[in-house]
Every structure is written in C-alpha cells, then in structure tokens.
Amino acid sequence: MFSNDKNIETIAQLVEALKDYIELEKDYLKLDVVDKAVRLLTAASLFVVSFLFALAIMLYASFAAVYWMAPFMGTAKAFAIMGGVYLLLLFIIIFFRKPLIERPLVRCFANILLS
C-alpha cells in the first residue's frame, strides 16, 4: 500500500505542507507577541502621561486653592488644610484601592493580553 510512488509523493507533500503550516504559526505567534507588547507599552505610556498631567493639574489647583483661602485664614492654615485634604484623599485611595485601581488595571491588561 505504501510502496506506491503516488502515496509517497502525497505523504511528502503533506509533510511539506505541515512544515509550512508550523512555520506560519511560528511567525503568527511572533507577530501576536509583538502586537501585545506594543499595546501594553502604549497603555503604560498613556497611563504615565495621564498621571503626570493629573499631578500637574492637582499641583496648580492646590496652589490656587491655598492662595484663595490665604486671605481668610492665613497662608500656613491654608497649606495645612490642603495637606489634610491630600491626606484624606490618600486614605480614600488606600481604602478603595481594589475597585479603583487594581480591578481596572487587571481588566485592562487582561483584555490586551487575551484579545
């Protein structure tokens, strides 16, 4: 049955097609890894840039609030109140870190890696 030249030729074609398929799958996997890495780097850089802009906005808004409160209660008390606001914000972020930070980040990275 296998001694037929046509069967041997068909098996050789099948082996060649299988080699081509494995090579194409390997190339696809490389491209998929590169795509996911680029998407992760893009998301991370967008997060860093957004964080820096938010930090700058908070800094300028804090100084504006302090200088707005200064005539009413004094500069030192205004800075102390603003420090207290940031301390309260820190406690809120620590208390709600899972729903505010961890879950959205895990969801975002899972969507990128599993898509």
Side-chain angles (χ1 to χ4, degrees), residues 2-44:
F2 286 111
S3 64
N4 190 343
D5 284 342
K6 186 172 182 173
N7 287 342
I8 293 173
E9 190 176 306
T10 304
I11 291 172
Q13 288 175 347
L14 180 64
V15 168
E16 192 64 35
L18 187 62
K19 285 180 183 177
D20 288 342
Y21 174 76
I22 290 172
E23 190 67 32
L24 288 173
E25 280 294 318
K26 192 170 80 173
D27 290 342
Y28 175 74
L29 183 63
K30 286 179 187 176
L31 289 173
D32 192 42
V33 167
V34 168
D35 177 54
K36 289 182 189 317
V38 166
R39 290 176 62 194
L40 276 173
L41 284 172
T42 302

Side-chain angles (χ1 to χ4, degrees), residues 4-110:
N4 190 343
D5 284 342
K6 186 172 182 173
N7 287 342
I8 293 173
E9 190 176 306
T10 304
I11 291 172
Q13 288 175 347
L14 180 64
V15 168
E16 192 64 35
L18 187 62
K19 285 180 183 177
D20 288 342
Y21 174 76
I22 290 172
E23 190 67 32
L24 288 173
E25 280 294 318
K26 192 170 80 173
D27 290 342
Y28 175 74
L29 183 63
K30 286 179 187 176
L31 289 173
D32 192 42
V33 167
V34 168
D35 177 54
K36 289 182 189 317
V38 166
R39 290 176 62 194
L40 276 173
L41 284 172
T42 302
S45 62
L46 180 64
F47 174 77
V48 168
V49 168
S50 299
F51 179 77
L52 290 175
F53 275 119
L55 192 65
I57 290 168
M58 286 176 55
L59 180 71
Y60 284 116
S62 296
F63 277 110
V66 164
Y67 285 117
W68 177 75
M69 290 187 290
F72 304 114
M73 61 188 64
T75 307
K77 286 182 184 177
F79 274 108
I81 289 172
M82 192 51 65
V85 167
Y86 280 121
L87 187 63
L88 179 66
L89 184 63
L90 176 68
F91 286 137
I92 290 172
I93 289 173
I94 289 172
F95 186 72
F96 293 110
R97 72 181 177 272
K98 283 195 186 263
L100 292 177
I101 298 170
E102 289 179 17
R103 287 185 192 138
L105 279 177
V106 168
R107 199 173 307 124
C108 176
F109 289 144

